[in-house]
Amino acid sequence: MNDLSPKTIADYVAAANKPLTDPAMNRQIGSGRATFELYHFGLSVCSQKVRMTLFEKGAPFISHDINIFPPINQNYQPDYVRLRMQGGRGRDLVDGYTGRSSTGSEGFDPCVVPTLVDLDSEKVLIDSQAICAHIDAAYQGGSELIPARLKSEIEREIAIVDTSPHPAILYGAHPDGDYRPEMLKREMPGIYDRKIMKLMEGRSLSVGHPRLQAAYDAKIRKEAAAKKYVATDEMMRGALREVQALIAALDERLADGRTWICGEDFTMADIQWAISLFRFKWLGMAFLWTGEHALNETVHSTVAAYGTRLFARDSFQQAIIAWPTNPPTEFVMDHYPQNEDTGAKRATRDATVKGHGRDIREENLTQAVLNTNKNAPNPRAKQVIAAFARHLHAFLEEVQPTEKEWEYGIDFLTKTGHLSTGGRQEFILLSDVMGATARVDMINNRAHDGATENSVLGPFFVEDRPTFENGAQISPGIDGPPMFFNSRVVDTDGQPVAGARVDVWHSDDEGNYDIMMPGQSQATMRGLFFADANGRVYFNSVLPESYPIPDDGTVGVLLKAANRSIIRPAHVHVRIEAPGFRRLTTMLFLEGDKYLDSDPVFGVKQSLVMNFEQRHDQRQPDGKKLPSPCFCVDYDFVLSRAS
């Protein structure tokens, strides 16, 4: 297909997303409906500006944290470049290199980050400043970051930051002493040659697409020019002089005691400066304001204080400090206490053990707790423990519990643990009714390519169940209205998935599962099927009924306090597995059940609500006659391919 052939933005997004299969790097951030889809990189300055804006506004977004370093360079993939070019239509392609990344002055670079897709308006935005402004205008949450009364002043500050030579400072070989982090010194030699080789690979995949090849040609010319720029002593000295002048001028503008750069209101200008100042510090250039350095003797104390305020901002902490692909350097370890340099010399046994100190106050308690996590050897453990501590302390700050209330909370959790014995798991039930189980399920089973939606597994699935042939009666001896369940298992192209393993289980017409029935030793209303050559699975049983979850324990106390329903709407559980496909765990709910809108475990999705229609004189696919009348349901379960 020619790269100029008409497509929808959704087509370009789907193509760009296809190779992005790592769920840890491609996920929704924040709760609620996400209208923004962001392609970015943890260490990219321009990406950091956009992330901080999103967190400042509280906007949920779909995050694609792509790797832009050789040899991976996901930003050079043709389908990503095609998507980005939809936002660059009418713009001149980048030509040459000036040590900067401003789209406004340097031209359109088709192979970089960030790129933002507004899913509602189907706009593709490719310039970080335009992206930030669009988010501020389009998302109604949070404070306005570009208020009209400060617009010209904000835009002036943004332009200063946007046109500063950050790329040159990052990549350049500094002639008067390379103060950059050790990891950069190791990785930077030869980087432009590696980038150009990867670009040539992308270009070779674009034969027959002249517009796409022109984009790669422009990018190759830019990287070749950049290679010469950063190796030129005078150009690098000029870049350093420029940023020194920027910091000195910033210090003067802050000298009147203002809290933020445009006054007392935190604005978009402060986001830009937060990212810029931290990048300088991350690179080992805090001497720009601390002074007492061979390259700068002047102290700019107001800039230092301003940076401290910016770096403490919650949106900065989320977008930069806590962002998993934004690793610290040795120059910013004070902001990453949980990631202390493991290469540092350890204290001798007789030395004083360094800890969080003795002068613990309300304002430093959370940080003191985080400091205790700094030597955790497992990076994931560090992340989880730190996040738990931050959110727990934020909860306490918001609720302001009395000591008696806190004691009640501890007792509540203790009782929950005591109830979690034998066949009962009160903690799982607590997770269910608080939506945590549903949240984990959604995180790990986001819809793929039109596949059937997942729902919660529930506590009644068991491995010890009989295997049936299609058309079997799976609830012999159980009273209740007859039900015929007729289904197919297909892929996202509608093709049958023969041999798929299909587990089903459900309650009787009084809401009881077999394992809940006194004296019921044989499994019933559950079974394992294998889809036939046409992907079909069908069986006879009884119509399930809604039922209450246990409310005689701590979860019941919680639900009563919130005046919430304890009744789950009627449903049939289904779990499907097939080689080459993602496992599907879901359930079908009965249309008309009065509890559909109040499911206490948050499992209902509209796409899973079906009409179990009462029919007369029906036959199943093998020709056998069904009871008349019989409640019948027909459903195609759609599996997505495993990544």
Side-chain angles (χ1 to χ4, degrees):
M1 179 181 290
N2 187 280
D3 57 296
L4 295 178
S5 299
K7 289 184 179 181
T8 66
I9 294 302
D11 291 332
Y12 286 107
V13 169
N17 290 353
K18 191 170 184 179
L20 307 179
T21 57
D22 184 349
M25 307 296 282
N26 301 276
R27 58 198 174 100
Q28 177 167 327
I29 306 297
S31 59
R33 179 172 172 267
T35 60
F36 302 128
E37 193 150 354
L38 176 65
Y39 302 82
H40 62 115
F41 177 54
L43 278 171
S44 157
V45 165
C46 293
S47 297
Q48 291 173 355
K49 295 172 185 176
V50 175
R51 287 203 305 273
M52 189 172 175
T53 300
L54 286 163
F55 281 115
E56 189 69 36
K57 296 289 288 185
F61 63 100
I62 300 169
S63 165
H64 300 293
D65 191 345
I66 65 179
N67 191 330
I68 69 172
F69 278 162
I72 299 175
N73 287 109
Q74 290 174 302
N75 54 316
Y76 294 173
Q77 292 290 333
D79 283 318
Y80 172 74
V81 178
R82 283 190 183 94
L83 171 63
R84 187 168 168 81
M85 289 175 70
Q86 304 317 300
R89 290 185 179 275
R91 293 174 178 259
D92 292 332
L93 288 168
V94 66
D95 185 20
Y97 182 80
T98 64
R100 305 160 211 284
S101 59
S102 172
T103 300
S105 60
E106 311 308 302
F108 167 50
D109 188 328
C111 304
V112 294
V113 290
T115 300
L116 182 103
V117 180
D118 186 321
L119 301 173
D120 282 351
S121 65
E122 295 191 329
K123 288 184 177 179
V124 179
L125 296 101
I126 48 82
D127 171 64
S128 63
Q129 307 310 328
I131 292 172
C132 291
H134 178 83
I135 293 167
D136 186 43
Y139 189 76
Q140 300 305 308
S143 301
E144 188 178 16
L145 295 173
I146 310 178
R149 60 187 174 82
L150 296 173
K151 189 171 185 293
S152 60
E153 189 175 352
I154 292 169
E155 289 179 344
R156 185 166 58 250
E157 294 293 335
I158 290 174
I160 292 171
V161 177
D162 192 39
T163 57
S164 61
H166 273 288
I169 296 294
L170 175 68
Y171 288 101
H174 299 273
D176 301 315
D178 195 346
Y179 38 73
R180 295 176 303 167
E182 289 301 320
M183 69 173 185
L184 277 188
K185 294 177 186 178
R186 291 193 303 267
E187 295 298 326
M188 287 299 120
I191 191 169
Y192 285 106
D193 291 330
R194 285 177 279 148
K195 290 169 76 173
I196 291 170
M197 288 177 63
K198 195 69 177 180
L199 285 164
M200 293 298 292
E201 178 183 311
R203 190 185 191 283
S204 68
L205 295 172
S206 306
V207 173
H209 303 285
R211 184 167 174 263
L212 192 57
Q213 283 195 311
Y216 280 106
D217 289 341
K219 178 66 171 177
I220 290 169
R221 289 193 299 270
K222 176 186 175 181
E223 298 304 321
K227 178 181 177 181
K228 294 180 180 178
Y229 183 105
V230 300
T232 306
D233 291 353
E234 190 49 43
M235 286 183 173
M236 290 308 304
R237 290 190 178 107
L240 178 59
R241 288 194 297 269
E242 185 174 341
V243 297
Q244 286 176 311
L246 291 178
I247 298 301
L250 176 64
D251 197 66
E252 291 181 5
R253 295 198 298 283
L254 290 166
D256 60 3
R258 64 183 69 184
T259 303
W260 306 112
I261 188 58
C262 294
E264 295 307 307
D265 293 334
F266 183 90
T267 70
M268 188 69 73
D270 297 297
I271 290 176
Q272 311 298 307
W273 274 116
I275 302 306
S276 184
L277 292 176
F278 192 76
R279 173 49 56 92
F280 289 139
K281 184 174 182 180
W282 187 91
L283 286 169
M285 297 177 68
F287 62 76
L288 290 170
W289 54 86
T290 61
E292 301 180 356
H293 190 277
L295 296 174
N296 179 56
E297 297 181 354
T298 306
V299 176
H300 297 297
S301 57
T302 57
V303 171
Y306 178 50
T308 298
R309 294 192 296 276
L310 291 171
F311 304 157
R313 191 86 176 175
D314 186 61
S315 58
F316 180 88
Q317 291 288 316
Q318 295 180 79
I320 311 304
I321 302 303
W323 197 261
T325 58
N326 185 47
T329 67
E330 59 268 33
F331 304 112
V332 292
M333 294 311 300
D334 53 326
H335 299 284
Y336 292 80
Q338 70 273 31
N339 291 314
E340 187 180 56
D341 186 4
T342 55
K345 293 182 179 179
R346 301 187 181 277
T348 58
R349 291 181 60 86
D350 58 347
T352 299
V353 177
K354 293 182 178 179
H356 48 68
R358 309 175 188 181
D359 192 23
I360 303 300
R361 298 286 185 267
E362 186 174 359
E363 60 271 18
N364 66 9
L365 174 60
T366 302
Q367 190 59 56
V369 175
L370 292 173
N371 287 348
T372 65
N373 183 45
K374 63 186 178 181
N375 291 321
N378 186 305
R380 180 61 171 167
K382 287 181 182 179
Q383 180 188 16
V384 172
I385 294 170
F388 176 73
R390 286 196 305 271
H391 288 281
L392 176 60
H393 283 238
F395 164 78
L396 295 173
E397 183 62 29
E398 178 182 343
V399 173
Q400 300 279 307
T402 64
E403 292 179 348
K404 186 174 182 180
E405 288 171 335
W406 187 242
E407 289 171 1
Y408 179 89
I410 296 295
D411 183 60
F412 178 91
L413 294 175
T414 302
K415 289 178 179 177
T416 302
H418 289 163
L419 286 168
S420 301
T421 58
R424 177 166 181 165
Q425 234 301 350
E426 194 79 359
F427 260 117
I428 291 179
L429 189 61
L430 179 61
S431 171
D432 290 346
V433 303
M434 292 305 295
T437 304
R439 172 70 68 181
V440 172
D441 174 71
M442 291 172 185
I443 289 170
N444 288 279
N445 295 285
R446 292 179 173 122
H448 293 266
D449 303 326
T452 298
E453 291 191 277
N454 262 63
S455 191
V456 294
L457 176 67
F460 299 117
F461 171 77
V462 295
E463 293 286 351
D464 185 15
R465 75 286 198 206
T467 299
F468 292 103
E469 297 292 333
N470 272 339
Q473 167 59 255
I474 69 168
S475 57
I478 302 296
D479 293 331
M483 175 187 72
F484 178 62
F485 193 99
N486 185 36
S487 67
R488 285 198 315 148
V489 182
V490 299
D491 63 17
T492 53
D493 294 323
Q495 297 303 306
V497 181
R501 293 167 54 92
V502 181
D503 264 293
V504 295
W505 67 102
H506 64 84
S507 73
D508 66 9
D509 72 332
E510 294 183 351
N512 298 312
Y513 287 81
D514 54 0
I515 60 176
M516 302 163 60
M517 297 176 175
Q520 181 67 42
S521 59
Q522 298 296 318
T524 185
M525 299 176 292
R526 70 174 68 245
L528 173 64
F529 291 82
F530 291 89
D532 67 15
N534 296 311
R536 294 179 304 186
V537 167
Y538 54 94
F539 61 88
N540 291 271
S541 190
V542 296
L543 193 70
E545 183 55 273
S546 52
Y547 58 87
I549 62 173
D551 67 339
D552 58 342
T554 51
V555 171
V557 172
L558 185 150
L559 295 179
K560 289 171 186 174
N563 194 27
R564 282 175 54 183
S565 170
I566 64 169
I567 308 296
R568 289 221 66 200
H571 54 270
V572 177
H573 290 274
V574 180
R575 171 172 274 197
I576 304 175
E577 297 177 284
F581 292 88
R582 292 174 59 87
R583 183 173 67 186
L584 173 66
T585 301
T586 191
M587 59 185 81
L588 296 187
F589 295 88
L590 276 63
E591 179 68 81
D593 192 299
K594 65 181 180 180
Y595 297 105
L596 285 170
D597 294 321
S598 58
D599 183 9
V601 306
F602 307 97
V604 179
K605 297 180 174 71
Q606 184 56 46
S607 67
L608 303 177
V609 178
M610 297 299 298
N611 181 20
F612 285 62
E613 182 182 5
Q614 191 175 42
R615 300 174 187 167
H616 297 265
D617 301 322
Q618 298 289 302
R619 293 182 182 274
Q620 56 191 30
D622 59 9
K624 292 181 181 178
K625 192 172 182 179
L626 295 172
S628 185
C630 183
F631 288 90
C632 302
V633 63
D634 303 285
Y635 191 84
D636 285 356
F637 292 96
V638 182
L639 304 186
S640 63
R641 297 279 177 185
S643 54

